[in-house]
Every structure is written in structure tokens, then in C-alpha cells.
Amino acid sequence: MNKLLIVGTVAFDAIETPFGKTDKILGGAGTYIGLSASFFNLQSAIVSVVGDDFPQEYLDLLTARNIDISGLEIVKGGKTFFWAGKYHNDLNSRDTLVTELNTLADFNPVVPQNFKNADVVMLGNLHPLVQASVLDQMTQKPKLVVLDTMNFWMDCALPELLAVMKRIDVITINDEEARQLSGEYSLVKAAAKIHTMGPKYVVIKKGEHGALLFHNKEVFFAPALPLEEVFDPTGAGDTFAGGFAGYIAQSENVSFENMKNAIIYGSNLASFCVEKFGTERMENLKKEEVVERLKQFRALTQFDIALQ
Amino acid sequence: MNKLLIVGTVAFDAIETPFGKTDKILGGAGTYIGLSASFFNLQSAIVSVVGDDFPQEYLDLLTARNIDISGLEIVKGGKTFFWAGKYHNDLNSRDTLVTELNTLADFNPVVPQNFKNADVVMLGNLHPLVQASVLDQMTQKPKLVVLDTMNFWMDCALPELLAVMKRIDVITINDEEARQLSGEYSLVKAAAKIHTMGPKYVVIKKGEHGALLFHNKEVFFAPALPLEEVFDPTGAGDTFAGGFAGYIAQSENVSFENMKNAIIYGSNLASFCVEKFGTERMENLKKEEVVERLKQFRALTQFDIALQ
């Protein structure tokens, strides 16, 4: 069975949307990536850090999904990373209300021995130095390294981000971040410029407007599924990335053709994530539902025109 | 050969984008629809009105594309409808600088005798009473009636718009207009509500984010082609509608499956329209280029995942 190594936050989130609000619930990029990737046939491990305020039931939830948490450090007397945010009415933008780094401030990732030869590495959104440290620990070159990042690191740690970008295969960022990173408004030009910074594959996430996968002169587009209601967008991007990395890890195929399938799976899984608050929908999601929705994705975009 | 009847403005436009500006050039919804539909094997006619300031070369340009202009009234001593607009830097929004209705103010559409039995009617964006008047003149029920409209008529002539909507098959509007017309934020809910107002098919145009086709519980999505540069978005929506209506008229097939192809063709043609100012690109476009780009649309969205 192939191995997927995930680094990313495991956290508490408090979320407010026009549909309601939550207390502190399970959150974090690593959590969403791990839950999403657990729908594939693979061995996965999360490298992360929490405080001893982190409930055992959340740890059990991860291990029940066959996620190795031996690289999830639990700091005695420490507090878990906490984020609180409030979404605006259109759900496309949000205000961050609280960011308490807590144990994340001094996070020093340690890759479990038996994942130092992982086939695929998914570097969730974290300080680029943490992402680089994980790559430093690999004893065997992974078949694919995927990196997710955000504007915050472009503002505060650009040299470190540019350095780790030279060591990865795929970058996933959103449209605004792609524009910021490249200085280009056109996403086609932005992707071309980001290619020159290292990643052979550039995935640009456009939220409800889908995602684009660029590779040299080729481009593929995966739509987001049009939904009656988006309940809570938290974790959608991480769920997308987890689906992408999980599908690649399972299939052992890093071709562009196969990456098309991977971003369709990413979109598929993300379309469930937003249907409930936090991780709720991902926790209860069944594999048959994912396969059923794949048919909807087919119907949504597949056409058959004779070239005349 | 099948007949397509088009009603829409034939006009002067003056356009400013971040890439430059034009003097008064050929414009108008009817013009863009007509040019776009001329890539299909059909007989088309434009019903519209201009003043005698409208240059013969523009009329020649339309007839050279095999567009019947016997329903294009030329008002002696009248002035042609004129619109001037300036696009913002992102090209997604614009300010209208000038709107001179001129001869359009008293436009009384007269459908040419030999188009009163047209197979497909494309009602371009105009006062809903003008759109209704064209339908009143048909001697034979068209196989398909497509209506394009905009927020202006929702604000100023809603009862008339709702009345004509009961008499059509397909409505094309943009996402913001769909939300305004339905009072629903979710485009899935908006389309469902618009269905109840009359149209069996609802096409929601999202500009650079593609277009959605809704029919009962089914939905199809056509992406916009990611372009290095969008030069001028003027007429893209009309070109899309003209490609849609033209393809349907040519193929004599009003099934949902065939409408999928029609909106791909609409997106295809619109992707050319935005590459140059005004109608320039559409005037010089060759059929082989359209077929070639169809391959790009295929590569952009077609995937092959085994259901497992």
C-alpha cells in the first residue's frame, strides 16, 4: 500500500456563517487533508502538533480513519492552535476573529521513521520553513510533493516560500494568491510565471468557480459542483488538496492525465465538505456517496460534439 | 436550410479598456449575435433599427455573412443607437459613459415575411415589449425561443419581462441578474425559481467563470477558455447567445444533450470575441479556428475516471 505523508495544522476552529455558529470544534488543514485522503486505499500519517487540551475523541477519530498519528506531537501543558472566523453573507470572504498560535508557534515537525520513504508528500499550509524541514527528513525522493500555501506567507516569508517552491512538484493556491505571487492578473500568465519558480504543476483554486490545473502549455479545469446551499466553506481547499494527493498516492501515477482525475476527486470531496459545519460531513461521508457524486461530475462537464 | 431570426440592437459602441480605446465602432447585441451565428449552416435575419448615419460598409459586412437585413429599418434623418463604456482594470465591471437611444427609442420591430416561420428565434437584450412584439408576428410556433435580458429591464419593466418569459424556452442571463430576478443567492435555487417563471432551460452566464445550463434537476457546465489576455469583453455574452442559438438552429435538435453542445459552441465563439476590440476578431475569424478551439475545450474538461 502506498504511503501519503501529510503535514498540516490540527486545530480548534470556531466558525460563524450566515447559517449559524459553532463553539470550538475540530479543525486544521492537516485534519481536513487527512479525512479527505482517507477515502483512498493508502497508508497516511499526519505530522503536526497540539496541546494536551486536545480531546482524545478527536485523536480517536483520526486513527479510526487509519491515519497514523505517531508524528502528531502532544505538548504537555500546551494549548492547541485556535482559529475563529466569521464569513460574510456571500461566503466568499471572511474575517479572522482570533488566531492563537499556541503550540504551533514552536512547531518542529518530526517525520515518523516509516514515513520517511512516503510516495507522496502533502505539505499543508504552514510556514515554508516547516514545510522544508519535512522534505529535509525524507530518506527517499517522493514520487510527488504537493504544497499548499497562502498570501500570509507571501507577505511574511517570501524568500523561504520561494526556496521550498523549488523543491516541490505541485503547488495549490487560490486565484488571488496566484496573482499576488506572480504579479500577473491573467491566471494563464500567472501559472506560467509560477512554473518558472519551480512547480511543474500549478493548481489554481477558484472556490465556487472550480479549479484549474496548469502544466506547461496544457490546462485542465474541474468545476465546483453547483450546490443548493453552501453551509460552511471552512476546510474546502484542504479537502480538495487531500483528495488530490490521496488519489495520486493510491494510483501511483503522476501523469498529467491522471492529475485531471485527481482534481476531479478533489472537487468531489470538497463539494461534500461545505455541506455541513466543520468536519461533520467528512466524518459521516461514505465511499458510495463519493462514487455517486462522481457521476454528477461527469454529467456536469462531459459532452460529445463531432468535430465538423 | 433552417432559419434563425434575431432581434437585437445594431449600434455604435465606443469602448475603453486598460488596453486602449476606440472611436465609434460597430456594435450592438444583434450584430454580435448575427456574426456569431454566421459560423453555422443556416439562414439568419436581423430585425433592428439604425439611423441613416449608419455606414454602408457595416451593412455590407452583415450581408457578406449571409445575414438578411431586410428587417433592419434605416430611419431617414435618424441617428443610430450609441453606447460608450469604460471597463475597470479587472474587466469584470464597467461604467456606462454614454447611452443615446436615438432611433431605438421608437423601435417597432417588423419581422420579414419569410422569417415569420423561423425555426429558432433569438430575442436579444431589448425592451421586453419589443421582444414580445416579435413573437406576436410569428405565423408558426418556433422550435425554440431564446431570450437574453439584463437587470435594467428587471428594474424598469419587470411585469413586461415576466410576461414575455412565459412565452420562451431558454433564458440567458448573468449570475447577478439571476440572483436579482429570483431573489435567491444560490444559482441552483435561482435557476429552479426562474424555471417556474416560464423558461424550461435557464442559462446562467458567469463571464470568465463559464456558464451553467439548468433543465429541471439536470445541470451542465461550460467553462470559459482560460486566456492569456482578455482584451475587450464587449459583446461576449451576445456572441455566446448567438453561438448557442446558431448551433441549435443548424442541428434542429432541442434536446438537453444537444444544448450542452450548443453552450460549448457559445463559449467557444465568445472566447474569440474577447481577443480583440469590438467585432474585429469575429469579423476575421475562420471556421477552422473554431473547430481547432473545440479541441481545446475538450482537453480542458474531458476526463476518464473509472467508477470504483
Side-chain angles (χ1 to χ4, degrees), chain A residues 263-272 289-291 293-294 297:
Chain A
I263 79 164
I264 292 288
Y265 261 105
S267 285
N268 184 333
L269 287 155
S271 76
F272 287 105
E289 293 177 289
V290 180
V291 173
R293 191 158 283 187
L294 203 50
F297 271 88

Side-chain angles (χ1 to χ4, degrees), chain A residues 90 185-186 188-189 206 209 220-221 227-229 261 291 298 300-305 307-308, chain B residues 90 185-186 188-189 206 209 220-221 227-229 261 291 294 298 300-305 308:
Chain A
D90 66 1
Y185 184 79
S186 153
V188 175
K189 287 186 178 177
K206 302 197 297 170
H209 299 302
F220 180 70
F221 175 79
L227 295 170
E228 286 231 346
E229 207 76 87
N261 296 352
V291 173
R298 272 194 188 171
L300 185 62
T301 57
Q302 304 305 283
F303 61 87
D304 186 22
I305 303 183
L307 296 175
Q308 47 201 307
Chain B
D90 66 1
Y185 184 79
S186 153
V188 175
K189 288 186 178 176
K206 303 199 295 171
H209 299 302
F220 179 71
F221 175 78
L227 295 170
E228 287 231 345
E229 207 77 86
N261 296 353
V291 173
L294 203 51
R298 273 193 186 172
L300 185 62
T301 56
Q302 304 305 285
F303 61 87
D304 185 23
I305 303 183
Q308 47 201 305

Side-chain angles (χ1 to χ4, degrees), chain A residues 178 182 184 186-196 199 202 204 214:
Chain A
S182 65
E184 294 285 352
S186 153
L187 296 181
V188 175
K189 287 186 178 177
K193 202 148 175 185
I194 295 169
H195 276 318
T196 68
V202 177
I204 299 181
F214 292 92

Side-chain angles (χ1 to χ4, degrees), chain B residues 7-8 14 19 28 80 106 123 140 143 159 165-166 173 181 189 210-211 217-218 240 253 281-282 288 291 300 306-307:
Chain B
V7 59
F19 304 105
T80 300
D106 306 308
L123 302 170
Q140 193 177 302
K143 294 194 184 75
M165 279 177 62
K166 296 201 197 331
I173 45 176
L181 186 59
K189 288 186 178 176
K217 292 280 170 201
E218 293 184 287
F240 172 86
N253 177 339
R281 186 71 178 96
M282 299 310 288
E288 305 86 72
V291 173
L300 185 62
L307 296 174

Side-chain angles (χ1 to χ4, degrees), chain B residues 115-128:
Chain B
F115 275 88
K116 289 186 175 175
N117 63 351
D119 303 276
V120 174
V121 177
M122 175 70 233
L123 302 170
N125 173 36
L126 274 171
H127 195 297

Side-chain angles (χ1 to χ4, degrees), chain A residues 46-67:
Chain A
I46 295 181
V47 172
S48 194
V49 64
V50 292
D52 58 9
D53 57 347
F54 197 72
Q56 184 63 38
E57 62 166 301
Y58 289 167
L59 297 173
D60 294 345
L61 191 152
L62 296 174
T63 50
R65 305 303 282 254
N66 202 26
I67 301 168

Side-chain angles (χ1 to χ4, degrees), chain A:
Chain A
M1 212 185 288
N2 294 314
K3 292 180 186 172
L4 171 66
L5 176 65
I6 299 160
V7 59
T9 55
V10 173
F12 290 129
D13 284 349
I15 303 160
E16 186 170 349
T17 82
F19 304 104
K21 59 187 290 186
T22 70
D23 290 329
K24 281 187 177 184
I25 58 171
L26 175 60
T31 304
Y32 282 102
I33 294 168
L35 289 175
S36 184
S38 73
F39 288 88
F40 301 95
N41 193 25
L42 48 80
Q43 280 187 279
S44 69
I46 295 181
V47 172
S48 194
V49 64
V50 292
D52 58 9
D53 57 347
F54 197 72
Q56 184 63 38
E57 62 166 301
Y58 289 167
L59 297 173
D60 294 345
L61 191 152
L62 296 174
T63 50
R65 305 303 282 254
N66 202 26
I67 301 168
D68 182 318
I69 57 166
S70 60
L72 176 57
E73 185 189 356
I74 300 169
V75 177
K76 288 263 185 299
K79 287 182 71 183
T80 300
F81 172 50
F82 172 53
W83 174 83
K86 180 177 176 172
Y87 288 87
H88 301 160
N89 274 341
D90 66 1
L91 293 176
N92 283 325
S93 52
R94 67 187 186 191
D95 296 324
T96 290
L97 304 177
V98 181
T99 307
E100 293 175 4
L101 284 181
N102 298 327
T103 53
L104 195 67
D106 306 308
F107 177 37
N108 192 12
V110 178
V111 177
Q113 195 59 38
N114 61 332
F115 275 87
K116 290 186 175 177
N117 62 352
D119 303 276
V120 174
V121 177
M122 175 70 231
L123 303 171
N125 175 33
L126 275 170
H127 196 297
L129 288 179
V130 172
Q131 296 175 316
S133 161
V134 167
L135 294 185
D136 292 340
Q137 297 172 56
M138 302 306 287
T139 54
Q140 194 178 300
K141 188 177 160 54
K143 292 194 185 76
L144 199 76
V145 178
V146 183
L147 175 140
D148 188 52
T149 190
M150 71 183 294
N151 50 4
F152 182 77
W153 308 117
M154 297 171 199
D155 296 333
C156 304
L158 186 59
E160 295 88 342
L161 176 60
L162 293 175
V164 73
M165 278 177 64
K166 295 199 195 337
R167 304 172 64 187
I168 63 162
D169 302 292
V170 184
I171 187 170
T172 71
I173 45 176
N174 76 27
D175 41 4
E176 283 319 307
E177 291 157 354
R179 287 173 174 137
Q180 178 175 346
L181 186 58
S182 65
E184 294 285 352
Y185 184 79
S186 153
L187 296 181
V188 175
K189 287 186 178 177
K193 202 148 175 185
I194 295 169
H195 276 318
T196 68
M197 299 173 180
K200 291 185 290 293
Y201 302 90
V202 177
V203 176
I204 299 181
K205 300 175 288 185
K206 302 197 297 170
E208 63 170 326
H209 299 302
L212 289 159
L213 166 65
F214 292 92
H215 173 56
N216 298 329
K217 291 282 169 197
E218 293 183 286
V219 55
F220 180 70
F221 175 79
L225 197 70
L227 295 170
E228 286 231 346
E229 207 76 87
V230 170
F231 207 72
D232 171 19
T234 308
D238 300 312
T239 301
F240 172 86
F244 178 89
Y247 182 82
I248 297 282
Q250 173 187 272
S251 59
E252 288 190 82
N253 177 340
V254 297
S255 70
F256 182 69
E257 280 307 309
N258 197 52
M259 282 193 194
K260 294 180 179 181
N261 296 352
I263 79 164
I264 292 288
Y265 261 105
S267 285
N268 184 333
L269 287 155
S271 76
F272 287 105
C273 178
V274 302
E275 288 182 346
K276 297 269 170 96
F277 266 118
T279 57
E280 186 182 344
R281 187 68 177 98
M282 299 310 288
E283 290 177 36
N284 299 314
L285 183 60
K286 294 191 176 54
K287 205 161 177 178
E288 306 85 73
E289 293 177 289
V290 180
V291 173
E292 196 55 37
R293 191 158 283 187
L294 203 50
K295 293 180 194 163
Q296 285 182 262
F297 271 88
R298 272 194 188 171
L300 185 62
T301 57
Q302 304 305 283
F303 61 87
D304 186 22
I305 303 183
L307 296 175
Q308 47 201 307

Side-chain angles (χ1 to χ4, degrees), chain B residues 160-303:
Chain B
E160 295 87 343
L161 177 60
L162 293 174
V164 73
M165 279 177 62
K166 296 201 197 331
R167 305 172 64 186
I168 63 162
D169 303 291
V170 184
I171 187 171
T172 70
I173 45 176
N174 75 28
D175 41 4
E176 284 318 307
E177 291 157 356
R179 288 175 172 135
Q180 178 174 346
L181 186 59
S182 65
E184 294 285 354
Y185 184 79
S186 153
L187 296 181
V188 175
K189 288 186 178 176
K193 201 147 176 185
I194 295 169
H195 276 318
T196 68
M197 299 175 181
K200 291 186 289 296
Y201 301 90
V202 177
V203 175
I204 300 183
K205 300 174 288 183
K206 303 199 295 171
E208 62 171 327
H209 299 302
L212 289 158
L213 166 66
F214 292 92
H215 173 57
N216 298 330
K217 292 280 170 201
E218 293 184 287
V219 55
F220 179 71
F221 175 78
L225 196 70
L227 295 170
E228 287 231 345
E229 207 77 86
V230 170
F231 205 71
D232 171 19
T234 308
D238 301 311
T239 301
F240 172 86
F244 178 88
Y247 182 82
I248 297 283
Q250 172 187 273
S251 59
E252 289 188 82
N253 177 339
V254 298
S255 70
F256 182 70
E257 281 306 309
N258 197 51
M259 282 193 194
K260 293 180 179 181
N261 296 353
I263 79 163
I264 292 289
Y265 261 105
S267 285
N268 184 334
L269 286 155
S271 76
F272 287 105
C273 178
V274 303
E275 289 182 345
K276 295 269 169 95
F277 266 116
T279 56
E280 186 183 345
R281 186 71 178 96
M282 299 310 288
E283 291 177 38
N284 299 313
L285 183 61
K286 294 190 176 55
K287 205 160 179 181
E288 305 86 72
E289 293 177 290
V290 179
V291 173
E292 196 55 38
R293 190 159 285 185
L294 203 51
K295 294 180 194 163
Q296 285 181 262
F297 271 88
R298 273 193 186 172
L300 185 62
T301 56
Q302 304 305 285
F303 61 87

